[in-house]
Amino acid sequence: MLTSLTEYMNLQQIRAIQQGIPVERFFTLAQQTGISQEKLAGLLEVSPRTLNRYRREGKNLGAKESELLVKLSLLLKRGAEIFGNMEAFISWLGQPAYGLDRQVPFELLYTSEGVNLVANEVERIAYGDLA
């Protein structure tokens, strides 16, 4: 079972996180997943206005925001694989989850450890445990 999404990361990704990933990855993830920029920015605790300014200035995200964005990206990719498509997974993220003590998974995604908890639940679902 997956204990942490960092198991999916390689050293190159970790170095990129330390240096800060390009803010453009934020906009790409929002577009690919259908999650609004406002909602995704909220998870990173950065305003959409700041992200747009970073985009204009060609800045990278900080290490903390970069790590969370990479982990979210990995989680969303894996969730879409397990649930069959991104829309189904995003829908699941918005509903209380039995294996997460009836908490809404999306509300746990504000921290790295919260992302890990949701990822572990997604893996349990992949192996046939109750959703």
Side-chain angles (χ1 to χ4, degrees):
M1 181 157 319
L2 181 68
T3 58
S4 171
L5 285 171
T6 54
E7 292 178 21
Y8 286 143
M9 289 188 204
N10 60 39
L11 288 174
Q12 184 179 13
Q13 287 172 313
I14 292 169
R15 277 191 225 106
I17 288 169
Q18 291 170 333
Q19 295 171 357
I21 62 171
V23 73
E24 197 58 42
R25 286 202 41 198
F26 165 86
F27 293 99
T28 301
L29 184 62
Q31 182 181 24
Q32 289 174 340
T33 62
I35 298 173
S36 74
Q37 291 180 11
E38 292 77 17
K39 220 172 177 183
L40 192 55
L43 294 177
L44 300 180
E45 296 182 342
V46 179
S47 74
R49 186 175 173 173
T50 298
L51 292 165
N52 280 308
R53 181 173 47 82
Y54 281 11
R55 188 182 210 181
R56 283 191 312 272
E57 296 172 0
K59 287 187 175 183
N60 290 344
L61 295 170
K64 178 184 168 196
E65 295 83 12
S66 294
E67 176 187 18
L68 192 54
L69 189 65
V70 168
K71 288 180 89 169
L72 286 168
S73 180
L74 292 170
L75 171 64
L76 290 163
K77 179 180 178 189
R78 181 68 175 142
E81 290 170 359
I82 291 168
F83 282 76
N85 60 59
M86 188 62 69
E87 294 79 22
F89 183 56
I90 297 295
S91 177
W92 178 84
L93 286 173
Q95 305 297 319
Y98 176 80
L100 295 171
D101 199 25
R102 305 297 296 160
Q103 292 189 56
V104 175
F106 194 88
E107 294 173 4
L108 300 173
L109 301 180
Y110 290 88
T111 65
S112 184
E113 190 55 36
V115 174
N116 288 343
L117 286 172
V118 173
N120 287 338
E121 180 62 12
V122 168
E123 289 302 319
R124 282 192 291 274
I125 291 168
Y127 289 100
D129 285 352
L130 290 176

